[in-house]
Amino acid sequence: MSTTYTVDSATSRATPTPKPMKRVTIPAIKARKGDPEAEPLVMLTAYTVRTAQLLDPHCDILLVGDSLGQVIYGLPSTLPVSLDMMCAHGAAVSRGSYHAAVVVDMPFGSYEASPVHAFESASRILADTGAAAVKLEGGAAMADTVRFLSERGIPVMGHVGLTPQAVNTLGGYGARGRSGAEYDKIVGDAEAVAQAGAFAVVVEGVVETLADTIVGTLDVPVIGIGASARCDGQVLVTEDMLGLFERTPRFVKRYGNMAETMTEAVERYAADVRSRAFPSADEIYKPKS
Ligand code: KIV
């Protein structure tokens, strides 16, 4: 699958193809753990081509997260997200990027039943999207699946701690690891997926000391979200970080106010349409003289 794109002369809407650049590879991401000089990994979610184009030069990893269910589709959780949705958005993000490694989430129901089922879903994701790797949620219970995929050429990013696809088992989206038993279980989960071959592990929504323990234990990069500043990298949902939503989790830092910017632009557009100030002479076609 081509990861570049050409100007669409019919709509003029595409951005010209950027200079070809070597993509960040999965082995290079894994190797960051052992490099004392390495900077923390920068990862953001992307679901669409234009967002991918804008984020790509600044990120090591673009995650096509199943959070797209809520962010793009307004679903109540990530559970109804389908493999078709992930493949369509994953392909768009690959087309819009040329530098960052693209990782696509395996949606709920596409990998839990067996390693073979997971292989069928993951191989379709890689073939349809051009992504370099998949991410799946779960710890020790998923270790056999992580091993099965990794040994068959499919790089896997793990995801432990607060795992949103397990919201019904966990009972909500609160931080994990406050009790000793849960703390130990999450450390064990992270170790299990790393030992099974995960090239990196996302740790989400856990108490800081737990994240620090995992960072100190694993020999692959630990990417935090609501975890610890000492993680080997950080990830956020881009729309949360840009301030598109009124409510975001405590761990989100807003670097923009996209909701305000959009509202202000749409208000001005609506006023111009109603007053006939738009379109003006600059925006209409005249017959050739
Ligand atoms: O789906 C997603 O966006 C994620 C990140 C928040 C880690 O899994």
Side-chain angles (χ1 to χ4, degrees):
M1 159 126 359
S2 166
T3 53
T4 57
Y5 45 89
T6 52
V7 173
D8 176 352
S9 59
T11 65
S12 305
R13 225 171 247 127
T15 300
T17 303
K19 279 205 178 79
M21 204 169 154
K22 202 171 177 315
R23 255 189 211 274
V24 177
T25 64
I26 299 303
I29 291 167
K30 194 174 173 187
R32 296 277 277 266
K33 181 72 178 196
D35 178 359
E37 305 293 308
E39 293 179 320
L41 289 158
V42 178
M43 173 159 133
L44 280 171
T45 59
Y47 317 121
T48 62
V49 69
R50 186 63 185 136
T51 303
Q53 290 168 351
L54 293 171
L55 303 185
D56 184 50
H58 311 284
C59 291
D60 301 300
I61 305 168
L62 293 177
L63 172 67
V64 187
D66 62 351
S67 51
L68 65 78
Q70 289 139 312
V71 176
I72 301 280
Y73 292 94
L75 295 169
S77 72
T78 55
L79 300 188
V81 172
S82 68
L83 202 51
D84 285 346
M85 285 174 177
M86 296 311 300
C87 286
H89 288 276
V93 169
S94 285
R95 285 194 293 271
S97 60
Y98 58 97
H99 161 69
V102 176
V103 178
V104 177
D105 260 346
M106 300 195 72
F108 179 67
S110 74
Y111 63 96
E112 300 88 336
S114 70
V116 171
H117 183 215
F119 185 84
E120 285 163 4
S121 302
S123 56
R124 180 181 158 202
I125 289 174
L126 295 200
D128 283 10
T129 68
V134 296
K135 175 166 81 59
L136 58 82
E137 295 183 10
M142 282 298 128
D144 285 347
T145 297
V146 172
R147 183 172 295 103
F148 194 87
L149 298 185
S150 307
E151 287 177 350
R152 285 160 180 78
I154 300 185
V156 180
M157 178 179 279
H159 184 158
V160 301
L162 170 59
T163 46
Q165 291 176 11
V167 61
N168 291 316
T169 317
L170 299 175
Y173 295 103
R176 318 301 306 173
R178 293 192 195 279
S179 76
E182 195 173 67
Y183 188 109
D184 293 343
K185 178 176 182 319
I186 294 171
V187 174
D189 281 341
E191 284 173 346
V193 292
Q195 280 163 15
F199 70 91
V201 178
V202 168
V203 177
E204 176 168 359
V206 298
V207 294
E208 187 186 31
T209 48
L210 168 48
D212 290 344
T213 301
I214 293 173
V215 171
T217 307
L218 301 198
D219 59 3
V220 296
V222 175
I223 301 173
I225 173 164
S228 165
R230 282 171 289 279
C231 286
D232 306 300
Q234 301 291 333
V235 58
L236 282 176
V237 169
T238 298
E239 286 76 358
D240 284 346
M241 184 273 277
L242 292 177
L244 188 63
F245 297 107
E246 280 173 11
R247 286 185 52 229
T248 46
R250 172 196 158 88
F251 56 75
V252 173
K253 178 172 174 181
R254 291 187 187 193
Y255 289 85
N257 196 334
M258 205 164 140
E260 203 174 281
T261 305
M262 284 180 74
T263 302
E264 195 257 334
V266 174
E267 276 171 3
R268 284 197 292 119
Y269 168 73
D272 277 2
V273 170
R274 291 189 178 113
S275 68
R276 298 194 185 279
F278 175 83
S280 72
D282 288 344
E283 292 108 16
I284 55 171
Y285 296 103
K286 299 264 201 260
K288 276 195 180 129
S289 50

